[in-house]
Amino acid sequence: MKKQKRRSLIGDILGLIFAFLIFIIPFLFMLTNSLKDRRGANQMSLSLPDVFHWENYTEVLTFNHGIVLTAFKNSLIITAGAVILLIVTCAMSGYVLQRRRGKVMSVFNAVVMAGLMVPPAILPTISLMQGLHVYKTLFGMIMIEVALQTPFTIMLYRGFMSTIPIELEEAGYIDGCNRGEMFTKVVFPLLKPVTATVIILNAVNIFNDFTNPLYFLPGASNSTVQLTLYNFMGQFSSSYNLLFADVIVITIPMLILFIIFNKKIVEGMVAGAVKG
Amino acid sequence: MNKKKIYTLWFLIPSTIIFSIFFLIPLVSSLFYSLTVWDFKSFTFVGLDNFKMFFSERSLSTSVIHTLIYAFLTCALKVILAFFIAIFLTSKIKTKNFLRSVVFFPNLVSTIAVGITFAALMHPTKGLFNLVLSTLGAGRIDFLGNTSLALFSVIFTDVWKGVGVATVIYVSGIQSIDKTYYEAASIDGANGWERLKNITIPLVRPAMNSVIILSLIGGLRSFDLIWAMTGGGPGFATDVVSSVVYKQYAAGFYGLSTAGNVIMFVLIAVIAYPLQRFLLKREES
């Protein structure tokens, strides 16, 4: 017994050392360099700043008429808009796809499966968006994110529906619910746990998305958080303190989200991966 | 209850409309546009010229090789490393919840932020990696500037960022294994390695399959980390198909770019899809 205890203690210590060296140091590196002056940060060392330059953060946030704040606003609009639409459309689809059988359903299910793997066809999408006059608009960007996250979200809802007993619906019909009431008053409230997963996972994915805004939302006025960070890479190539201040500004919301929803995020990622 | 009436197809309409307009229709039309030279307004049909160009131009065709190296290597490393991390994080250590969080968190960080940070850590003269190497007495290495090394430096960063997801998938797979198997094995006198080989590895296979598929597809599609760290360079040393798609688009060669996109579909269709079929079948038998 004593031997086992000592072995697990050694495991704890080794685990902490490795985790610190491999996973924590890069974050300390970001943090400490975001608080140095320009010359200090450009040396790219892990040392503590001599003086804490908190003004780096105000400088980043007010740079170019507050482009970072505008980008945060845009990213939040896109994320919130897409997540709300995804919840409504995919909960409805997942519900019917799980309950109904038949040839049409197999086609839908096959398309959902394929949609999990296949990347978007970028240029034809741009061309089509131009035709619809939604290219370079927040609305168009929201639609793209919804379309790309639809297979994954439907899969989560469909998977969860299979755990809801059909008897609850039968009881609803006896009480005189119609189809719409059935979904809004009986089924949708029961989907709450998976809806929470859907919100968190999609919010993280969409907020962190760089590639799609790069293609579908170019231009300074509509910039998103990830695009501004990418552009700063060029603009701040000789002032790493500001670059890392922006990195920290973008990372902190995720850290807060992770501290609050740790379990939900991890469980959701596992559920999404295993069912896909 | 009439099922067809209750579970009406009307409920599928909103998803279907958005998914069709912004995903399916462009996908289908890309097959056509990859055979043309076009500028969004007009097009000329050129047959397979774009594909011929893609595979005859070395700077373009190497991107297919790089994509395959990137996808298979990141996948293999994640499958193996995450397995051992997960074994460690399901053992009787006190800090396992904290350590799981630490390993997982990089996955939530913006890829661009990770790319910027590791590009700085890998800086040829000032970077932390080289500082460690030189204190160990080794020479300096230009991680991202050396053409034969750059791709592997990006692969390393990708694994750093993505190993956490693979780990938590394994952890949940290991935790779902019935404890009585291990107890029975201990009574029969099986040692740690035998238990790992005969119980854990076979029973964790569904989780392993998820990790394989997920990281392979992620690898075949990856763009943002490469773009942030090297921009496809030096030269074309880290160009993958998706970065060629972007470069050709930026250069105005829309037909060629779309052909690259179609090559990506084909790669995924001939690698990921049969692999998933195969893994699922093996899981069932």
Side-chain angles (χ1 to χ4, degrees):
Chain A
M1 206 56 212
K2 223 175 179 180
K3 199 178 143 199
Q4 211 176 22
K5 244 188 184 165
R6 192 190 292 162
R7 246 174 70 181
S8 92
L9 187 68
I10 293 171
D12 275 318
I13 293 168
L14 282 179
L16 287 172
I17 291 173
F18 273 109
F20 181 80
L21 287 178
I22 297 170
F23 289 104
I24 296 181
I25 281 187
F27 289 103
L28 292 179
F29 176 79
M30 296 175 194
L31 187 63
T32 180
N33 281 302
S34 74
L35 292 167
K36 292 177 183 171
D37 60 5
R38 207 171 74 91
R39 259 187 49 206
N42 286 348
Q43 284 169 358
M44 301 182 188
S45 75
L46 197 58
S47 62
L48 281 174
D50 307 327
V51 190
F52 285 83
H53 291 272
W54 294 103
E55 71 273 12
N56 288 344
Y57 287 89
T58 38
E59 194 170 331
V60 161
L61 292 176
T62 53
F63 177 80
N64 197 357
H65 311 294
I67 182 93
V68 173
L69 292 176
T70 314
F72 259 100
K73 195 189 78 193
N74 289 336
S75 282
L76 287 178
I77 293 173
I78 294 167
T79 308
V83 168
I84 291 168
L85 261 173
L86 277 164
I87 292 171
V88 175
T89 59
C90 296
M92 288 163 67
S93 306
Y95 164 63
V96 171
L97 282 172
Q98 201 276 324
R99 287 292 194 244
R100 203 169 140 150
R101 296 278 173 277
K103 264 214 177 106
V104 188
M105 291 301 108
S106 337
V107 173
F108 271 101
N109 281 318
V111 171
V112 169
M113 281 304 289
L116 286 171
M117 296 188 178
V118 180
I122 289 151
L123 299 197
T125 312
I126 294 178
S127 162
L128 197 140
M129 287 172 86
Q130 284 181 342
L132 297 170
H133 303 288
V134 294
Y135 181 56
K136 293 191 192 182
T137 64
L138 290 180
F139 173 79
M141 196 60 234
I142 289 174
M143 285 299 153
I144 292 284
E145 296 289 4
V146 171
L148 294 181
Q149 301 299 330
T150 285
F152 175 67
T153 312
I154 286 184
M155 190 195 69
L156 285 177
Y157 274 118
R158 195 183 55 195
F160 193 82
M161 267 314 294
S162 60
T163 65
I164 294 177
I166 204 157
E167 285 77 15
L168 291 172
E169 290 169 61
E170 279 160 5
Y173 280 106
I174 293 165
D175 291 346
C177 287
N178 63 30
R179 289 189 303 217
E181 287 169 350
M182 182 66 158
F183 179 75
T184 51
K185 291 192 179 144
V186 180
V187 176
F188 190 70
L190 292 168
L191 292 172
K192 230 182 235 159
V194 72
T195 300
T197 309
V198 164
I199 293 174
I200 292 169
L201 293 189
N202 282 321
V204 170
N205 279 340
I206 297 169
F207 187 84
N208 278 339
D209 187 7
F210 165 72
T211 314
N212 295 306
L214 179 71
Y215 279 115
F216 304 119
L217 200 63
S221 62
N222 285 329
S223 200
T224 70
V225 170
Q226 308 301 333
L227 284 180
T228 24
L229 179 59
Y230 178 73
N231 291 333
F232 280 3
M233 245 171 86
Q235 289 162 351
F236 293 157
S237 59
S238 58
S239 24
Y240 270 85
N241 52 340
L242 299 183
L243 190 57
F244 281 113
D246 197 23
V247 165
I248 292 289
V249 165
I250 288 177
T251 307
I252 282 179
M254 288 297 136
L255 184 63
I256 294 172
L257 207 66
F258 186 54
I259 289 170
I260 301 173
F261 298 110
N262 184 321
K263 246 188 151 172
K264 200 87 210 167
I265 292 177
V266 172
E267 279 169 9
M269 291 243 170
V270 172
V274 173
K275 279 174 193 136
Chain B
M1 259 190 347
N2 180 348
K3 284 207 164 180
K4 289 229 156 131
K5 230 178 181 171
I6 298 167
Y7 303 120
T8 165
L9 292 179
W10 286 108
F11 275 40
L12 300 176
I13 298 280
S15 289
T16 309
I17 290 177
I18 298 176
F19 190 67
S20 301
I21 295 178
F22 292 96
F23 189 85
L24 282 182
I25 295 174
L27 183 73
V28 174
S29 62
S30 73
L31 300 178
F32 172 74
Y33 284 122
S34 67
L35 305 173
T36 66
V37 169
W38 67 314
D39 59 358
F40 289 163
K41 291 181 196 79
S42 61
F43 62 84
T44 3
F45 190 80
V46 296
L48 289 173
D49 279 6
N50 289 323
F51 292 94
K52 280 181 198 152
M53 169 94 126
F54 200 100
F55 287 105
S56 62
E57 191 79 40
R58 235 189 77 80
S59 61
L60 302 178
S61 60
T62 48
S63 70
V64 178
I65 314 274
H66 294 152
T67 306
L68 293 175
I69 295 175
Y70 192 94
F72 281 102
L73 205 55
T74 50
C75 178
L77 287 170
K78 284 176 196 171
V79 167
I80 295 164
L81 289 175
F83 177 74
F84 288 106
I85 299 175
I87 295 282
F88 177 67
L89 293 181
T90 46
S91 65
K92 285 183 185 128
I93 53 170
K94 285 200 192 73
T95 48
K96 62 184 168 198
N97 285 330
F98 172 73
L99 289 177
R100 274 179 211 168
S101 303
V102 170
V103 173
F104 181 81
F105 182 64
N107 186 250
L108 298 182
V109 180
S110 132
T111 312
I112 304 299
V114 170
I116 290 174
T117 307
F118 274 79
L121 291 171
M122 291 175 178
H123 192 278
T125 52
K126 297 180 277 186
L128 211 55
F129 284 17
N130 270 316
L131 197 74
V132 174
L133 282 178
S134 62
T135 42
L136 292 175
R140 293 188 188 284
I141 294 176
D142 193 355
F143 290 97
L144 295 170
N146 181 329
T147 46
S148 51
L149 204 65
L151 189 65
F152 298 98
S153 305
V154 184
I155 287 173
F156 170 86
T157 312
D158 188 305
V159 173
W160 180 85
K161 185 179 190 299
V163 79
V165 186
T167 303
V168 296
I169 295 170
Y170 274 125
V171 165
S172 97
I174 292 172
Q175 282 173 338
S176 68
I177 296 173
D178 197 334
K179 293 281 169 296
T180 52
Y181 287 123
Y182 291 106
E183 284 159 20
S186 306
I187 292 166
D188 290 344
N191 62 31
W193 166 245
E194 282 167 343
R195 273 176 296 184
L196 188 71
K197 196 181 72 178
N198 297 324
I199 302 174
T200 312
I201 292 180
L203 290 177
V204 87
R205 192 140 281 164
M208 188 182 282
N209 291 346
S210 307
V211 173
I212 293 174
I213 289 292
L214 205 70
S215 34
L216 193 68
I217 295 176
L220 288 171
R221 294 172 58 159
S222 73
F223 168 74
D224 38 10
L225 186 65
I226 296 167
W227 198 244
M229 288 183 78
T230 64
F236 311 105
T238 55
D239 255 332
V240 288
V241 177
S242 56
S243 68
V244 168
V245 170
Y246 184 77
K247 281 182 176 174
Q248 298 306 324
Y249 162 60
F253 299 113
Y254 293 177
L256 194 59
S257 169
T258 311
N261 220 323
V262 170
I263 290 169
M264 252 171 96
F265 301 150
V266 174
L267 276 182
I268 288 176
V270 300
I271 296 172
Y273 185 70
L275 185 70
Q276 189 181 33
R277 273 286 146 105
F278 169 74
L279 291 175
L280 278 178
K281 232 180 209 163
R282 205 177 57 171
E283 199 175 301
E284 277 158 14
S285 62

mmCIF file of all heavy atoms in Angstrom, chain B residues 204-229:
data_model
loop_
_atom_site.group_PDB
_atom_site.id
_atom_site.type_symbol
_atom_site.label_atom_id
_atom_site.label_comp_id
_atom_site.label_asym_id
_atom_site.label_seq_id
_atom_site.Cartn_x
_atom_site.Cartn_y
_atom_site.Cartn_z
ATOM 1 N N VAL B 204 -10.234 -0.356 -25.982
ATOM 2 C CA VAL B 204 -10.213 1.085 -26.214
ATOM 3 C C VAL B 204 -10.284 1.361 -27.730
ATOM 4 O O VAL B 204 -10.243 2.500 -28.177
ATOM 5 C CB VAL B 204 -8.943 1.711 -25.563
ATOM 6 C CG1 VAL B 204 -7.765 1.673 -26.498
ATOM 7 C CG2 VAL B 204 -9.242 3.109 -25.069
ATOM 8 N N ARG B 205 -10.413 0.288 -28.505
ATOM 9 C CA ARG B 205 -10.375 0.425 -29.959
ATOM 10 C C ARG B 205 -11.410 1.408 -30.530
ATOM 11 O O ARG B 205 -11.046 2.219 -31.397
ATOM 12 C CB ARG B 205 -10.536 -0.943 -30.609
ATOM 13 C CG ARG B 205 -10.231 -0.911 -32.062
ATOM 14 C CD ARG B 205 -9.483 -2.102 -32.555
ATOM 15 N NE ARG B 205 -8.066 -2.106 -32.299
ATOM 16 C CZ ARG B 205 -7.330 -3.207 -32.386
ATOM 17 N NH1 ARG B 205 -7.887 -4.350 -32.674
ATOM 18 N NH2 ARG B 205 -6.036 -3.152 -32.169
ATOM 19 N N PRO B 206 -12.666 1.396 -30.070
ATOM 20 C CA PRO B 206 -13.607 2.396 -30.616
ATOM 21 C C PRO B 206 -13.106 3.823 -30.439
ATOM 22 O O PRO B 206 -13.188 4.634 -31.361
ATOM 23 C CB PRO B 206 -14.882 2.161 -29.811
ATOM 24 C CG PRO B 206 -14.788 0.758 -29.334
ATOM 25 C CD PRO B 206 -13.337 0.484 -29.130
ATOM 26 N N ALA B 207 -12.540 4.116 -29.248
ATOM 27 C CA ALA B 207 -11.998 5.461 -29.020
ATOM 28 C C ALA B 207 -10.834 5.724 -29.965
ATOM 29 O O ALA B 207 -10.717 6.808 -30.542
ATOM 30 C CB ALA B 207 -11.549 5.606 -27.567
ATOM 31 N N MET B 208 -9.992 4.698 -30.147
ATOM 32 C CA MET B 208 -8.846 4.870 -31.030
ATOM 33 C C MET B 208 -9.305 5.165 -32.457
ATOM 34 O O MET B 208 -8.743 6.037 -33.130
ATOM 35 C CB MET B 208 -7.974 3.612 -30.999
ATOM 36 C CG MET B 208 -6.657 3.762 -31.739
ATOM 37 S SD MET B 208 -5.678 2.247 -31.743
ATOM 38 C CE MET B 208 -4.994 2.255 -30.102
ATOM 39 N N ASN B 209 -10.337 4.460 -32.917
ATOM 40 C CA ASN B 209 -10.862 4.714 -34.257
ATOM 41 C C ASN B 209 -11.329 6.160 -34.411
ATOM 42 O O ASN B 209 -11.069 6.798 -35.433
ATOM 43 C CB ASN B 209 -12.017 3.761 -34.563
ATOM 44 C CG ASN B 209 -11.540 2.331 -34.706
ATOM 45 O OD1 ASN B 209 -10.339 2.086 -34.837
ATOM 46 N ND2 ASN B 209 -12.454 1.391 -34.666
ATOM 47 N N SER B 210 -12.011 6.682 -33.392
ATOM 48 C CA SER B 210 -12.455 8.079 -33.462
ATOM 49 C C SER B 210 -11.258 9.008 -33.583
ATOM 50 O O SER B 210 -11.271 9.949 -34.375
ATOM 51 C CB SER B 210 -13.240 8.468 -32.212
ATOM 52 O OG SER B 210 -14.271 7.565 -31.992
ATOM 53 N N VAL B 211 -10.225 8.735 -32.796
ATOM 54 C CA VAL B 211 -9.034 9.590 -32.835
ATOM 55 C C VAL B 211 -8.402 9.541 -34.222
ATOM 56 O O VAL B 211 -8.032 10.574 -34.788
ATOM 57 C CB VAL B 211 -8.012 9.153 -31.760
ATOM 58 C CG1 VAL B 211 -6.709 9.916 -31.916
ATOM 59 C CG2 VAL B 211 -8.580 9.366 -30.378
ATOM 60 N N ILE B 212 -8.297 8.325 -34.786
ATOM 61 C CA ILE B 212 -7.668 8.185 -36.103
ATOM 62 C C ILE B 212 -8.419 9.010 -37.145
ATOM 63 O O ILE B 212 -7.837 9.851 -37.839
ATOM 64 C CB ILE B 212 -7.634 6.700 -36.540
ATOM 65 C CG1 ILE B 212 -6.689 5.901 -35.635
ATOM 66 C CG2 ILE B 212 -7.184 6.573 -37.991
ATOM 67 C CD1 ILE B 212 -6.705 4.407 -35.894
ATOM 68 N N ILE B 213 -9.732 8.789 -37.241
ATOM 69 C CA ILE B 213 -10.532 9.464 -38.257
ATOM 70 C C ILE B 213 -10.491 10.979 -38.075
ATOM 71 O O ILE B 213 -10.236 11.743 -39.007
ATOM 72 C CB ILE B 213 -11.994 8.967 -38.200
ATOM 73 C CG1 ILE B 213 -12.057 7.534 -38.714
ATOM 74 C CG2 ILE B 213 -12.913 9.846 -39.008
ATOM 75 C CD1 ILE B 213 -11.763 7.409 -40.186
ATOM 76 N N LEU B 214 -10.713 11.396 -36.822
ATOM 77 C CA LEU B 214 -10.782 12.825 -36.539
ATOM 78 C C LEU B 214 -9.469 13.523 -36.891
ATOM 79 O O LEU B 214 -9.459 14.567 -37.553
ATOM 80 C CB LEU B 214 -11.077 13.008 -35.049
ATOM 81 C CG LEU B 214 -11.756 14.285 -34.644
ATOM 82 C CD1 LEU B 214 -13.181 14.277 -35.129
ATOM 83 C CD2 LEU B 214 -11.724 14.421 -33.125
ATOM 84 N N SER B 215 -8.342 12.943 -36.489
ATOM 85 C CA SER B 215 -7.086 13.656 -36.728
ATOM 86 C C SER B 215 -6.642 13.529 -38.187
ATOM 87 O O SER B 215 -6.001 14.435 -38.704
ATOM 88 C CB SER B 215 -5.976 13.226 -35.762
ATOM 89 O OG SER B 215 -6.071 11.887 -35.443
ATOM 90 N N LEU B 216 -7.000 12.435 -38.826
ATOM 91 C CA LEU B 216 -6.618 12.298 -40.235
ATOM 92 C C LEU B 216 -7.360 13.320 -41.099
ATOM 93 O O LEU B 216 -6.748 14.018 -41.922
ATOM 94 C CB LEU B 216 -6.898 10.881 -40.727
ATOM 95 C CG LEU B 216 -6.243 10.548 -42.065
ATOM 96 C CD1 LEU B 216 -4.735 10.496 -41.906
ATOM 97 C CD2 LEU B 216 -6.746 9.230 -42.607
ATOM 98 N N ILE B 217 -8.669 13.426 -40.890
ATOM 99 C CA ILE B 217 -9.434 14.397 -41.674
ATOM 100 C C ILE B 217 -8.963 15.813 -41.352
ATOM 101 O O ILE B 217 -8.768 16.641 -42.249
ATOM 102 C CB ILE B 217 -10.943 14.247 -41.411
ATOM 103 C CG1 ILE B 217 -11.410 12.889 -41.920
ATOM 104 C CG2 ILE B 217 -11.735 15.357 -42.087
ATOM 105 C CD1 ILE B 217 -12.847 12.586 -41.622
ATOM 106 N N GLY B 218 -8.749 16.088 -40.056
ATOM 107 C CA GLY B 218 -8.238 17.395 -39.661
ATOM 108 C C GLY B 218 -6.919 17.698 -40.361
ATOM 109 O O GLY B 218 -6.704 18.804 -40.847
ATOM 110 N N GLY B 219 -6.051 16.702 -40.443
ATOM 111 C CA GLY B 219 -4.754 16.887 -41.076
ATOM 112 C C GLY B 219 -4.864 17.138 -42.569
ATOM 113 O O GLY B 219 -4.180 17.997 -43.109
ATOM 114 N N LEU B 220 -5.744 16.391 -43.232
ATOM 115 C CA LEU B 220 -5.903 16.575 -44.673
ATOM 116 C C LEU B 220 -6.447 17.965 -44.999
ATOM 117 O O LEU B 220 -6.166 18.519 -46.057
ATOM 118 C CB LEU B 220 -6.857 15.512 -45.241
ATOM 119 C CG LEU B 220 -6.321 14.073 -45.312
ATOM 120 C CD1 LEU B 220 -7.435 13.104 -45.679
ATOM 121 C CD2 LEU B 220 -5.188 13.965 -46.327
ATOM 122 N N ARG B 221 -7.254 18.535 -44.092
ATOM 123 C CA ARG B 221 -7.883 19.829 -44.359
ATOM 124 C C ARG B 221 -7.078 21.003 -43.828
ATOM 125 O O ARG B 221 -7.426 22.155 -44.092
ATOM 126 C CB ARG B 221 -9.273 19.870 -43.711
ATOM 127 C CG ARG B 221 -10.247 18.900 -44.319
ATOM 128 C CD ARG B 221 -11.533 18.833 -43.545
ATOM 129 N NE ARG B 221 -12.184 20.120 -43.451
ATOM 130 C CZ ARG B 221 -13.482 20.286 -43.184
ATOM 131 N NH1 ARG B 221 -14.238 19.243 -42.994
ATOM 132 N NH2 ARG B 221 -14.000 21.475 -43.105
ATOM 133 N N SER B 222 -6.022 20.755 -43.055
ATOM 134 C CA SER B 222 -5.439 21.829 -42.257
ATOM 135 C C SER B 222 -4.869 22.947 -43.130
ATOM 136 O O SER B 222 -4.278 22.719 -44.181
ATOM 137 C CB SER B 222 -4.355 21.276 -41.352
ATOM 138 O OG SER B 222 -3.245 20.962 -42.138
ATOM 139 N N PHE B 223 -5.052 24.152 -42.651
ATOM 140 C CA PHE B 223 -4.607 25.331 -43.374
ATOM 141 C C PHE B 223 -4.076 26.404 -42.425
ATOM 142 O O PHE B 223 -2.971 26.894 -42.606
ATOM 143 C CB PHE B 223 -5.770 25.902 -44.196
ATOM 144 C CG PHE B 223 -5.513 27.269 -44.767
ATOM 145 C CD1 PHE B 223 -4.647 27.428 -45.844
ATOM 146 C CD2 PHE B 223 -6.121 28.384 -44.231
ATOM 147 C CE1 PHE B 223 -4.400 28.674 -46.376
ATOM 148 C CE2 PHE B 223 -5.872 29.643 -44.759
ATOM 149 C CZ PHE B 223 -5.013 29.783 -45.836
ATOM 150 N N ASP B 224 -4.863 26.744 -41.403
ATOM 151 C CA ASP B 224 -4.571 27.971 -40.653
ATOM 152 C C ASP B 224 -3.243 27.946 -39.895
ATOM 153 O O ASP B 224 -2.532 28.945 -39.880
ATOM 154 C CB ASP B 224 -5.734 28.395 -39.742
ATOM 155 C CG ASP B 224 -6.433 27.230 -39.103
ATOM 156 O OD1 ASP B 224 -5.925 26.098 -39.205
ATOM 157 O OD2 ASP B 224 -7.485 27.436 -38.493
ATOM 158 N N LEU B 225 -2.897 26.798 -39.308
ATOM 159 C CA LEU B 225 -1.636 26.751 -38.562
ATOM 160 C C LEU B 225 -0.441 26.935 -39.503
ATOM 161 O O LEU B 225 0.473 27.707 -39.231
ATOM 162 C CB LEU B 225 -1.507 25.426 -37.808
ATOM 163 C CG LEU B 225 -0.301 25.342 -36.881
ATOM 164 C CD1 LEU B 225 -0.433 26.348 -35.746
ATOM 165 C CD2 LEU B 225 -0.117 23.952 -36.319
ATOM 166 N N ILE B 226 -0.480 26.229 -40.639
ATOM 167 C CA ILE B 226 0.587 26.351 -41.622
ATOM 168 C C ILE B 226 0.678 27.782 -42.126
ATOM 169 O O ILE B 226 1.754 28.369 -42.222
ATOM 170 C CB ILE B 226 0.329 25.382 -42.793
ATOM 171 C CG1 ILE B 226 0.374 23.944 -42.292
ATOM 172 C CG2 ILE B 226 1.337 25.596 -43.922
ATOM 173 C CD1 ILE B 226 -0.170 22.935 -43.268
ATOM 174 N N TRP B 227 -0.488 28.354 -42.405
ATOM 175 C CA TRP B 227 -0.514 29.712 -42.943
ATOM 176 C C TRP B 227 0.056 30.709 -41.948
ATOM 177 O O TRP B 227 0.783 31.635 -42.324
ATOM 178 C CB TRP B 227 -1.953 30.077 -43.329
ATOM 179 C CG TRP B 227 -2.020 31.232 -44.253
ATOM 180 C CD1 TRP B 227 -2.590 32.436 -44.004
ATOM 181 C CD2 TRP B 227 -1.487 31.298 -45.583
ATOM 182 N NE1 TRP B 227 -2.440 33.252 -45.087
ATOM 183 C CE2 TRP B 227 -1.768 32.580 -46.067
ATOM 184 C CE3 TRP B 227 -0.796 30.402 -46.397
ATOM 185 C CZ2 TRP B 227 -1.386 32.996 -47.335
ATOM 186 C CZ3 TRP B 227 -0.418 30.809 -47.660
ATOM 187 C CH2 TRP B 227 -0.718 32.090 -48.109
ATOM 188 N N ALA B 228 -0.254 30.526 -40.669
ATOM 189 C CA ALA B 228 0.232 31.465 -39.658
ATOM 190 C C ALA B 228 1.726 31.290 -39.403
ATOM 191 O O ALA B 228 2.431 32.256 -39.145
ATOM 192 C CB ALA B 228 -0.546 31.297 -38.347
ATOM 193 N N MET B 229 2.227 30.046 -39.486
ATOM 194 C CA MET B 229 3.623 29.816 -39.109
ATOM 195 C C MET B 229 4.602 30.043 -40.254
ATOM 196 O O MET B 229 5.681 30.591 -40.051
ATOM 197 C CB MET B 229 3.803 28.400 -38.552
ATOM 198 C CG MET B 229 3.189 28.241 -37.175
ATOM 199 S SD MET B 229 3.483 26.609 -36.474
ATOM 200 C CE MET B 229 5.186 26.765 -35.923
#
